[in-house]
Amino acid sequence: MSNPDELLVALSAAVESERSNQMSLTVVVGGAVITGRLAPEAVWRERVAEVLEDSDRLGPFAGVFARRPRENGSGRGEAPTHLHFHLARILQGSLGIPETGGMYRVAIKDVSAWTVGDLSYFDR
């Protein structure tokens, strides 16, 4: 979307203000379907930093995520610009990649369609 969906921005702002990670959402971005739960940016950054710290090769990058977000982010009077997913999967056929869920950051302006809820596919 060239202009971010105001309702999606408001939903993201509510997640940020409540500091909740229970909002399930499914979005379409560049033709990919991503489904999972939204997390506040600060919580998302902390979790990514923790995962990186546990890696011998990627540990040095943890500090990038541990830093506080710049003042143009959500929760500081300005509208959020990104969605922060955790336990998220990219849906491909009957699979969700990765199976256990991952951490994705998606620009709200790039979302072409969305729905509330976490989609799951079942092979029948």
Side-chain angles (χ1 to χ4, degrees):
M1 295 181 169
S2 55
N3 293 319
D5 183 318
E6 291 178 19
L7 189 54
L8 190 54
V9 171
L11 185 63
S12 181
V15 168
E16 290 291 337
S17 67
E18 296 295 322
R19 301 214 25 103
S20 169
N21 62 0
Q22 299 303 306
M23 182 67 209
S24 295
L25 190 72
T26 299
V27 297
V28 177
V29 180
V33 177
I34 300 172
T35 189
R37 288 194 304 197
L38 294 179
E41 182 177 1
V43 172
W44 183 86
R45 283 174 169 260
E46 287 171 19
R47 181 65 185 127
V48 172
E50 288 170 5
V51 170
L52 293 175
E53 284 171 353
D54 290 342
S55 169
D56 292 335
R57 291 182 300 127
L58 301 175
F61 297 100
V64 172
F65 291 91
R67 291 186 204 125
R68 293 186 94 47
R70 293 186 318 200
E71 288 299 313
N72 65 352
S74 47
R76 290 168 289 282
E78 293 186 29
T81 58
H82 290 78
L83 301 170
H84 296 88
F85 284 92
H86 74 113
L87 301 175
R89 296 169 323 280
I90 297 174
L91 299 181
Q92 178 68 38
S94 62
L95 321 187
I97 305 167
E99 285 185 28
T100 58
M103 307 288 284
Y104 295 100
R105 177 176 159 111
V106 175
I108 294 172
K109 68 178 180 59
D110 293 336
V111 173
S112 58
W114 62 276
T115 188
V116 171
D118 185 355
L119 297 183
S120 296
Y121 280 21
F122 295 101
D123 208 12
R124 295 182 191 232

